[in-house]
Amino acid sequence: MTEELKKEILRLRKQIIENEFIHLNPQQREAALALQGSLLILAGAGSGKTTVLVNRVAHILRWGEAYESDDLYGEYSEKELSILRQAANGQIEIPVELVDKLSVSRVAPWRILAITFTNKAANELKERICAKVGEQGKDIWASTFHACCTRILRRYGEALGYTAHFTIYDTDDQKRLLRDCMKSIGIDEKILPIKMIMAELSNAKDSMLTPDAYRQQAAADIRQSSIAKVYTLYQKRLLAADAMDFDDIIFNTITLFRQCPEALEKYAEQFRYIMVDEYQDTNNSQYILVNLLAARHRNLCVVGDDDQSIYRFRGATIRNILEFEQDYEHSRCIKLEQNYRSTQNILSAANSVIGNNYERKQKTLWTQNEPGDKLIVYTAMDDRDESDYIASTIKEQAQAGAKYADFAVLYRMNSQSQGIERALVHADIPYRIIGGRRFYERKEIRDMISYLAVISNPHDNIRLKRIINVPKR
């Protein structure tokens, strides 16, 4: 193959790949096609980040590294060249056998890890990937941090003293076990509230502090020394019950990787491409985990928006996204600023407010949508005035022809709903509260899960205590 012919085929291949993602805007397309090395995607609200992730996976599976590669395999006949030229011009669709010939270093779906923050987001991502690439999409590791780590620990947990059937304790189980530990040690819950101890243990695990390390750090601090005693006994009883709490899942995975190099080697080699969504909400332990897994191939793509960082209260650190380009030299940064969800008036107001933040990466959201109605700001005298204003506004517009279903009331804290509900009832406005007690938090569901947990893990004394006399007998 002559050098001139090779250049033409490389150009045609690049054009064919770009044509397949022509439906994306320029920034989305750039992000979907950039596979090699580290990439930071700053995705503003409503900018189509899930669309980018889905197309990025589709690109990996279909073409591998072909877009950014100068590698070609085999010889090309005049007929094949003619097909490539027509496909590049958009006249025909390129045959599968030619895609196979032009692709470079394609990987199996199970070598792609896509981490999201909720099960709902993970399921949606996987569904959209499968709709795009077919059944092979089911083999991609698309999950939350905790689901991914649980899967790893089910396989390698024995190295830490757990069986493959370990139980995962929820908040209620944690409280029960902590109360037992505090009672055994003789610590009064009135002096050391259980919520405070849970928060302290969560912070310790996020900081990767073992009970011994925490005790040494506590030194002469009486309060922390007491918590250290609880922490030590709590972890011993968890291990005896073959159980982990939510924070243990990531903590133990990192511990496993540090103590069992072959486990880290397996997964660091397996995951050729790693994508992390909502990176602005990652905490210290999640940051460590991602770095361990990405160290081998360094094909790490993180997606996030520093303007939407809202989980600092539970350990998230915005520094992870702000300092990504320092952590990964030669990384690329692509900004998704075109919004598909809102009107320009809403975006202009949002840009004006968020522009006052001093810890952020500069970006300005815009849209091709209509300007929309102007925003209305009402400054209420107190919470009662605020609630009455909400109710009267809904009533007036409903009387003018709007439907009650057209309205939504958002509030910052659940405690604020009481005044709003009072006003709605007084105005005879029908409503329903969204986000009440979750299905798995209902007593009867928790009892049933406890029965199943004890069947699976006979060492789980906390769940056994819950159902030992349920139903009463």
Side-chain angles (χ1 to χ4, degrees), residues 6 17 19 43 72 86 90 101 123 139 151 160 166 189 209-210 228 266 295 304-305 334 366 370 381-382 466 473:
K6 180 179 179 181
I17 296 174
N19 289 349
L72 282 176
Q86 292 178 73
K101 190 173 182 179
N123 291 334
D139 293 329
R151 192 170 172 181
L160 300 177
F166 65 83
E189 193 176 334
L209 292 174
T210 63
K266 170 183 163 44
D305 181 6
I334 299 172
W366 61 276
E370 295 294 322
M381 298 292 292
D382 52 32
R466 180 185 179 94
R473 43 189 172 261

Side-chain angles (χ1 to χ4, degrees), residues 34 38 66 71 88 90 103 106 132 169-170 182 203 235 281 289 293 303 311-312 324 359 377 382 404 426-427 469:
S38 50
D71 293 337
S103 63
R106 284 196 300 199
K132 184 83 174 177
Y169 280 1
D170 59 19
M182 291 169 71
N203 289 335
Q235 292 303 128
D281 291 328
L289 178 68
L293 289 172
V303 185
Y311 289 116
R312 187 175 179 180
F324 179 82
E359 280 194 326
V377 178
D382 52 32
Y404 287 128
H426 188 262
N469 197 36

Side-chain angles (χ1 to χ4, degrees), residues 220-436:
D221 187 300
I222 297 175
R223 183 184 69 89
Q224 286 195 328
S225 295
S226 297
I227 294 174
K229 292 178 183 178
V230 176
Y231 188 10
T232 301
L233 182 58
Y234 174 69
Q235 292 303 128
K236 284 181 179 177
R237 291 192 176 179
L238 277 174
L239 185 59
D242 195 22
M244 301 182 196
D245 65 25
F246 214 50
D247 294 307
D248 281 326
I249 294 173
I250 295 178
F251 179 94
N252 284 338
T253 304
I254 294 172
T255 301
L256 169 71
F257 286 162
R258 287 174 172 172
Q259 294 182 5
C260 188
E262 60 269 27
L264 175 58
E265 170 72 19
K266 170 183 163 44
Y267 291 104
E269 173 58 33
Q270 174 178 326
F271 298 131
R272 178 78 171 270
Y273 298 97
I274 298 176
M275 287 167 269
V276 184
D277 194 10
E278 306 291 4
Y279 194 65
Q280 78 279 356
D281 291 328
T282 51
N283 58 27
N284 178 63
S285 59
Q286 291 163 345
Y287 169 83
I288 294 171
L289 178 68
V290 169
N291 286 345
L292 286 171
L293 289 172
R296 170 61 63 85
H297 300 292
R298 298 187 74 80
N299 292 327
L300 172 63
C301 168
V302 301
V303 185
D305 181 6
D306 47 317
D307 292 339
Q308 297 185 63
S309 180
I310 59 172
Y311 289 116
R312 187 175 179 180
F313 69 92
R314 68 181 190 193
T317 170
I318 197 172
R319 307 309 307 175
N320 291 349
I321 193 168
L322 294 179
E323 297 177 1
F324 179 82
E325 290 162 289
Q326 297 173 32
D327 293 337
Y328 290 85
E329 292 183 14
H330 311 300
S331 60
R332 287 178 276 187
C333 178
I334 299 172
K335 298 179 182 180
L336 304 183
E337 298 174 292
Q338 184 175 357
N339 177 283
Y340 295 91
R341 182 185 300 160
S342 306
T343 62
Q344 187 58 55
N345 278 332
I346 290 176
L347 294 179
S348 297
N351 288 331
S352 178
V353 172
I354 204 67
N356 294 303
N357 276 16
Y358 55 88
E359 280 194 326
R360 69 185 296 261
K361 290 181 177 288
Q362 183 59 42
K363 57 187 169 300
T364 303
L365 297 184
W366 61 276
T367 185
Q368 291 181 337
N369 295 338
E370 295 294 322
D373 296 334
K374 288 192 174 184
L375 280 66
I376 298 172
V377 178
Y378 179 78
T379 304
M381 298 292 292
D382 52 32
D383 56 346
R384 178 178 288 271
D385 182 29
E386 179 183 49
S387 301
D388 289 342
Y389 173 78
I390 291 170
S392 61
T393 301
I394 293 174
K395 196 72 174 178
E396 287 172 11
Q397 295 197 31
Q399 290 173 346
K403 298 177 181 178
Y404 287 128
D406 294 335
F407 299 91
V409 181
L410 306 179
Y411 41 84
R412 190 168 59 88
M413 299 181 296
N414 286 331
S415 59
Q416 291 178 288
S417 72
Q418 185 175 355
I420 297 171
E421 288 187 75
R422 174 199 56 76
L424 294 176
V425 170
H426 188 262
D428 198 26
I429 297 173
Y431 69 92
R432 61 191 180 102
I433 299 291
I434 306 297

